[in-house]
Amino acid sequence: MKLDIASHIPLSFEDIVNEITKFTDLSEQEVRHRVWMEGMNLGWNVLQDIPVFQVTPHHYDEHMEQLYRESYGFIFETLVFWINPARQKWTESALNRISLYTEKWGLDPKQIKILMLGDGSGNQGKRI
């Protein structure tokens, strides 16, 4: 199965920059820098947000909640992580397994319900 660009999932550096610029108040120049840094070091944006939100790593409190609610860091992390070819291959493999399952049991693939946990920006769930 080949990933379909028509599915509106950002699949390139430019796609991610456009998507984040469109839905945030960040300048395109800042988004480009932050996407690049995330690509070089996964988690870079969240690390930049930790002191801004006064988060103590691995300590759940109101600061951690605010980080998850208001930070842009996770948007960068999940979108950049998803375009990794290994991650896309994992998604293709999952789609193939679902296809085999539905064929084996004579089910309509469109009727299958899947609960996606930890899907980040939702690209994998959207694809599946």
Side-chain angles (χ1 to χ4, degrees):
M1 243 176 246
K2 195 141 174 92
L3 290 174
D4 177 14
I5 294 185
S7 65
H8 306 293
I9 296 172
L11 294 174
S12 71
F13 179 85
E14 290 299 326
D15 290 344
I16 290 174
V17 168
N18 292 337
E19 187 85 356
I20 294 173
T21 302
K22 181 177 172 182
F23 292 105
T24 67
D25 59 357
L26 302 173
S27 71
E28 182 179 338
Q29 182 179 0
E30 181 178 357
V31 171
R32 284 182 173 286
H33 171 71
R34 290 177 68 168
V35 169
W36 177 260
M37 294 305 295
E38 192 67 39
M40 299 299 288
N41 185 14
L42 193 63
W44 184 87
N45 282 279
V46 173
L47 287 174
Q48 304 311 302
D49 287 341
I50 284 175
V52 172
F53 290 92
Q54 302 174 343
V55 168
T56 302
H58 313 290
H59 176 75
Y60 182 79
D61 61 10
E62 67 278 356
H63 298 287
M64 181 73 76
E65 284 186 16
Q66 186 180 19
L67 173 75
Y68 275 92
R69 221 178 18 253
E70 299 174 21
S71 165
Y72 289 141
F74 293 107
I75 295 170
F76 287 90
E77 185 173 330
T78 56
L79 286 174
V80 170
F81 176 75
W82 197 83
I83 65 165
N84 179 301
R87 187 61 183 174
Q88 291 183 26
K89 186 172 175 114
W90 185 95
T91 303
E92 290 177 33
S93 176
L95 284 168
N96 288 333
R97 290 181 61 130
I98 292 166
S99 178
L100 290 171
Y101 176 83
T102 57
E103 286 174 20
K104 178 179 178 180
W105 297 101
L107 302 170
D108 178 358
K110 293 181 178 168
Q111 299 301 314
I112 299 293
K113 294 181 181 177
I114 298 171
L115 175 61
M116 296 292 292
L117 299 173
D119 191 23
S121 60
N123 285 345
Q124 187 173 349
K126 223 167 131 179
R127 178 70 184 128
I128 290 176

